[in-house]
Amino acid sequence: MALPVALYSTAQVRAIDAHAINELGVPGYTLMKRAGEAALRYLRTRWPTAHRIVIVCGSGNNGGDGYVLARFAHASGLTVTVLAAAEPAELRGDARQAYEDFRASEGGVKPFAPEQLSSGEVIVDAILGTGFKGRVREHLVPVIQAINSCGTPVFALDVPSGLDSDAGTAAGEAIRAEATVTFVGLKTGLFVGDGPEYAGTVFFDDLELADAPQLGLAPRLNRIVEAEIHTALPHRPRSSNKGDFGRVLIVGSGRGWRARPRSASVRASSRWPWLRRMSWRLRPAAPSSFVSA
């Protein structure tokens, strides 16, 4: 599924989830199973030759997604190792149901141990989801460190563990994924701040909620796609050179910062001598300055 352009906050995506469950009558566990199906599909798209996967599950719904993925992957013929980063007894609700269904399908769950990571060609991060804020709990720090240092590609479910899904920040340890599949709506944190560095390639699945009303929720941001960039930039003839396009616009703002644009314009002119025109336009009524060279 192609990536949408709209980016939403975690609260907005949860509102869409809640609307589907409470108003449209879609069970939460159905959404979790759809997430597991989508995760398996994109895992096989990204690593088509991988046959051995290790799934590390936490104690929340992100862990539930991992247990669903484990059941579907096992049924499809993949060799699956599931490592519990939290006691399965802590699981509740849909996540608990996902765990029990996996066990009922003769799936085994082992306590997390770093040496088990080497048995997989891909590691799935299903530890922490969009509910994470702040710093990773102390007992999960060595788990994330072991995954990041094992040298095996990592596939994150919904958001890399330890990454703030709104701000795109990692206050402490966070999973560095090669790819991430996110659900229902694109989370802002995957595309801003440190998000791209931790998320890698982002895949998306709306879990069949594309027709659900958006509840009047305006996107926090919209992505700029490559086609828009090509449209916005003028065509450059093949015979053009730096003298044809040698103009710099320097924009500065903020009280006490006007010397910076001036300094930047002087440096630009000295570095590129074909830039011969320079103009200042200062507006005392507004704390901004424009320098073009």
Side-chain angles (χ1 to χ4, degrees), residues 198-216:
Y198 287 92
T201 301
V202 176
F203 297 104
F204 171 73
D205 195 279
D206 62 12
L207 306 188
E208 301 178 30
L209 299 183
D211 295 331
Q214 296 301 303
L215 311 178

Side-chain angles (χ1 to χ4, degrees), residues 40-53:
L40 178 59
R41 183 169 63 253
Y42 284 116
L43 188 152
R44 302 190 97 167
T45 297
R46 186 69 176 81
W47 296 279
T49 63
H51 294 285
R52 295 176 286 107
I53 64 173

